[in-house]
Amino acid sequence: TNEDWFGYQDAKPACNTSILNVDPSVGLDADGMLTYAEAGYELQNKSTIPNWPWAAFDRYGKYYYNARKVQVVDLPSGKTMAYIAYGLAGLVAVDVTSTPTYAGYVPAPPAHGPDEPTTESRSILSHHGSGMLEEAGVVDVRVVPDANGTSYKAYFTDHFAGLVVVSGAENPNGQWHNSGGTYNNDSDPLPYWPDYEFVTSYDMTPVPVGEESLPKFLVPDSNGNYTSPVLLATGEINGHGGALFLMPCMHTPTTAPCTPGNVNVVEASGAGGVSYVEIKDLSTSGVAVADRFAVPVHLVSTKEVGAAPAGMPTDVAIGHTEGVTVQGRYLYVADGPHGLSVWPIANASGVATDNLHLVANTLMDEYPVDPYLPAPHAAKVNFGSDSSKAYVMSQSLGMRRVDVSPAANAQVGAPALLNLGQTDIYEHSTEIGNAPGINGQDHAYYATFYGKYAIVADGSNGLTVYDTSVPADTTTWGHVVANIGNTTSNKPPLGRASSVALWKHNGKIYAVVAAGPYGISVVDMTGLLVNGVTPGMTLIKTFEPIKLEEEAGVLKVGKADGKSVDVKIIGDYAYVSYDSFGLVAYKMADLIQPISQVNPMCTDPTKLFDANAGLDCRPTAVARYKLQADPLHPEFATLDGGAQYMTAQYFPANTYIRTGAGGDLVYLDKPRLLFYVAYANGGVIKLDWSDPANPVLLQHKDTVGKAVDTAIANGRVYVADYGGGVVVFK
């Protein structure tokens, strides 16, 4: 082959090598590619086969090869070329004049930065880094001719590299290669990890750029010289690179050229609004990056005034919203790189308002501005017993405690800047070392509290427990109490924990964990939380829910697909959301039952199901609900979306409730349980789960973005809608 993007260009030779453990019954499809059944074969037999590359591709490739945009151009040479914004596969050119033929590419910066991934477990089922893979890479592309009408430039946006301009689009096969010979970027000893080991014509060496880094081929040298074919790489412009369009003066060589001072490109910046870009100089050398472009106008997604250091107001962009939490009369919003913001949803008398405005925020930056520290990568906001202290889950950076009491005296238009100290950063992994016994990167997706203890759902580290009554100290690690689930093996016992809930029963305390692709974990925490013994946590079971499927007219017992996301415990039942399997409910008595009581053959709490051995010690769900499988609502059968984080409302019997905001009072003669579930691209659903065995859909609402979390107060449902910001329903 004549190019080097990730993986094999020709599947047929790859399929015939000894690397793949091809199931003889699967074979190849008409295109010479292995089918989905091969991935299933590898996963089911992963304990007996040496590797599972096709399953790895199935797990990560759908993110890696993510074609987002295509532009087809008829070139003066008579060729027709398709330019594809191909996610992490980069900008790919395909000659479609007759038979589609690969013609060249420019790689995208790695999702984890050019450095190798962390040393934590990289199980095929861990989904490690899949969230970054899903967003990263090339997003959009436009290709236009130069004034001579024969040479062409490609303008594309990349998640990390921002706006990139490359020459030679009229001849990508000949010009989309670095000069200087062959490069060896294969520094990862583990195969099949989605990195850049196959890139040989571009230098992917990491070069620091500000607080982050880019591959060397995208960074000019000290004299401002880029390496061909790159003419410009802006880096992030007010956020991650998003969709773009070019101004009319750039469309054809016969149109008047864009004059100095005019806008050339309009770029959407992920979570950062819209930037108008003036391209000032695309010389091949001798011009600093700062002098090659300018951003005369930046439009953000709100009219709010945010707090910044030195009392300076700042524009507020909301558009990376992953978490919403209501505490008292405030809505707390976790907005990714913008940190934590606080919005009153009721006045001091408790009267609800729909006129939301910001009154406080942490530093709206991912990096410190002395003396202020941010709460970056904000994913969720949780509270313990002290309502003045918010705990922000900072993905990959641990849990951060923020004093939110200044919000009470702040005013709209003059918000308070919330700060935190080094002793408020509860983490176990830093650049200078790790807490004893925990070697994986901090994830901090969700936290629940028991007295002074914060029990954190810590990704593939399982559960990490912090003592919030002591200052965080990364020299003594005195704030790190215990951990269960951390491992360097290929199978973390608690999977990739994304949520956790506690249940008290007969003097014991249990944790139910949404364990990601491993399903559901149950942990006895009595020793730690009641008796003060460390680690004091015992894994009872980890299992994937039972899934019944029909194959060739035969009912087959399998296991849930996708990954669990959230868990809520109401009364004596646990409710777990899945991104593709739906929602399932279990009796807590079944979840805490020792596996040996189910079947004496069950001895390993992580191996409750073996179809080949006829072993199945998994608890049976009381009920399952999936919107796409609801027989009463066939209109949702093809809906794109899956259950994410959720909020529950429980109303006991013999009480009155209002039917909606300001509605009539209705007497309940039996308990009522409602769930408001963020359903990703499918919007939000409202379920009546009063009967544990019979969940009923009450309402479905679309949102403009990707619904990932919900909160309830005053007859309103607040939705974290990711790129759509915050959505409010009555």
Side-chain angles (χ1 to χ4, degrees), residues 332-496:
Y332 296 85
V333 177
D335 198 59
H338 303 129
L340 168 69
S341 56
V342 186
W343 308 67
I345 57 174
N347 62 23
S349 301
V351 178
T353 177
D354 294 323
N355 189 21
L356 273 61
H357 293 286
L358 184 148
V359 295
N361 59 268
T362 56
L363 189 67
M364 290 186 172
D365 199 309
E366 296 188 72
Y367 306 103
V369 177
D370 190 53
Y372 294 95
L373 296 176
H377 298 198
K380 293 289 179 289
V381 183
N382 299 118
F383 284 85
S385 58
D386 185 353
S387 61
S388 69
K389 301 295 190 297
Y391 290 84
V392 181
M393 305 301 115
S394 293
Q395 290 185 29
S396 305
L397 295 170
M399 179 180 73
R400 305 194 175 203
R401 180 170 59 194
V402 180
D403 183 354
V404 295
S405 58
N409 298 316
Q411 300 294 323
V412 174
L417 180 59
L418 307 176
N419 200 12
L420 59 151
Q422 289 290 346
T423 57
D424 293 313
I425 302 177
Y426 289 83
E427 56 187 350
H428 57 70
S429 177
T430 69
E431 293 181 356
I432 60 175
N434 299 328
I438 311 177
N439 52 27
Q441 186 180 28
D442 289 276
H443 291 293
Y445 290 105
Y446 191 92
T448 190
F449 293 82
Y450 186 84
K452 65 180 182 179
Y453 296 119
I455 300 101
V456 176
D458 195 16
S460 55
N461 299 304
L463 296 181
T464 300
V465 181
Y466 296 114
D467 184 346
T468 62
S469 69
V470 301
D473 186 341
T474 55
T475 59
T476 65
W477 302 109
H479 61 287
V480 181
V481 178
N483 171 271
I484 182 171
N486 180 253
T487 179
T488 57
S489 72
N490 280 339
K491 188 172 182 179
L494 271 70
R496 190 171 179 83

Side-chain angles (χ1 to χ4, degrees), residues 564-594:
S564 61
V565 179
D566 195 15
V567 56
K568 295 289 183 286
I569 299 177
I570 311 295
D572 295 332
Y573 293 87
Y575 302 83
V576 182
S577 65
Y578 259 81
D579 66 347
S580 61
F581 187 64
L583 300 105
V584 287
Y586 291 91
K587 291 181 179 179
M588 282 300 303
D590 293 338
L591 290 183
I592 67 172
Q593 183 182 19

Side-chain angles (χ1 to χ4, degrees), residues 172-520:
N173 189 50
Q175 298 193 43
W176 282 7
H177 301 265
N178 271 191
S179 59
T182 300
Y183 295 94
N184 179 12
N185 297 293
D186 187 1
S187 58
D188 186 355
L190 295 179
Y192 315 120
W193 180 258
D195 62 1
Y196 288 79
E197 60 189 51
F198 297 107
V199 176
T200 59
S201 63
Y202 292 87
D203 191 346
M204 304 299 289
T205 305
V207 176
V209 178
E211 298 284 352
E212 298 184 358
S213 61
L214 287 173
K216 188 174 181 179
F217 86 94
L218 288 172
V219 181
D221 61 21
S222 58
N223 295 319
N225 299 319
Y226 279 101
T227 307
S228 176
V230 179
L231 300 175
L232 174 67
T234 65
E236 294 183 15
I237 301 177
N238 300 310
H240 300 308
L244 82 157
F245 65 84
L246 305 181
M247 298 304 289
C249 58
M250 302 176 69
H251 286 176
T252 68
T254 58
T255 307
C258 296
T259 58
N262 287 351
V263 171
N264 304 74
V265 181
V266 179
E267 174 193 330
S269 302
V274 175
S275 298
Y276 288 27
V277 183
E278 176 195 355
I279 297 178
K280 302 169 69 174
D281 198 320
L282 291 179
S283 302
T284 56
S285 64
V287 181
V289 174
D291 297 325
R292 290 177 180 261
F293 76 100
V295 184
V297 178
H298 175 226
L299 305 176
V300 296
S301 54
T302 79
K303 295 181 179 180
E304 300 301 307
V305 174
M312 298 295 292
T314 185
D315 294 332
V316 177
I318 297 292
H320 210 291
T321 311
E322 297 192 50
V324 284
T325 300
V326 171
Q327 178 70 23
R329 65 185 188 94
Y330 295 100
L331 177 71
Y332 296 85
V333 177
D335 198 59
H338 303 129
L340 168 69
S341 56
V342 186
W343 308 67
I345 57 174
N347 62 23
S349 301
V351 178
T353 177
D354 294 323
N355 189 21
L356 273 61
H357 293 286
L358 184 148
V359 295
N361 59 268
T362 56
L363 189 67
M364 290 186 172
D365 199 309
E366 296 188 72
Y367 306 103
V369 177
D370 190 53
Y372 294 95
L373 296 176
H377 298 198
K380 293 289 179 289
V381 183
N382 299 118
F383 284 85
S385 58
D386 185 353
S387 61
S388 69
K389 301 295 190 297
Y391 290 84
V392 181
M393 305 301 115
S394 293
Q395 290 185 29
S396 305
L397 295 170
M399 179 180 73
R400 305 194 175 203
R401 180 170 59 194
V402 180
D403 183 354
V404 295
S405 58
N409 298 316
Q411 300 294 323
V412 174
L417 180 59
L418 307 176
N419 200 12
L420 59 151
Q422 289 290 346
T423 57
D424 293 313
I425 302 177
Y426 289 83
E427 56 187 350
H428 57 70
S429 177
T430 69
E431 293 181 356
I432 60 175
N434 299 328
I438 311 177
N439 52 27
Q441 186 180 28
D442 289 276
H443 291 293
Y445 290 105
Y446 191 92
T448 190
F449 293 82
Y450 186 84
K452 65 180 182 179
Y453 296 119
I455 300 101
V456 176
D458 195 16
S460 55
N461 299 304
L463 296 181
T464 300
V465 181
Y466 296 114
D467 184 346
T468 62
S469 69
V470 301
D473 186 341
T474 55
T475 59
T476 65
W477 302 109
H479 61 287
V480 181
V481 178
N483 171 271
I484 182 171
N486 180 253
T487 179
T488 57
S489 72
N490 280 339
K491 188 172 182 179
L494 271 70
R496 190 171 179 83
S498 58
S499 186
V500 57
L502 300 181
W503 188 63
K504 302 177 185 178
H505 181 68
N506 290 340
K508 290 191 172 184
I509 301 177
Y510 301 92
V512 180
V513 182
Y518 280 77
I520 302 165

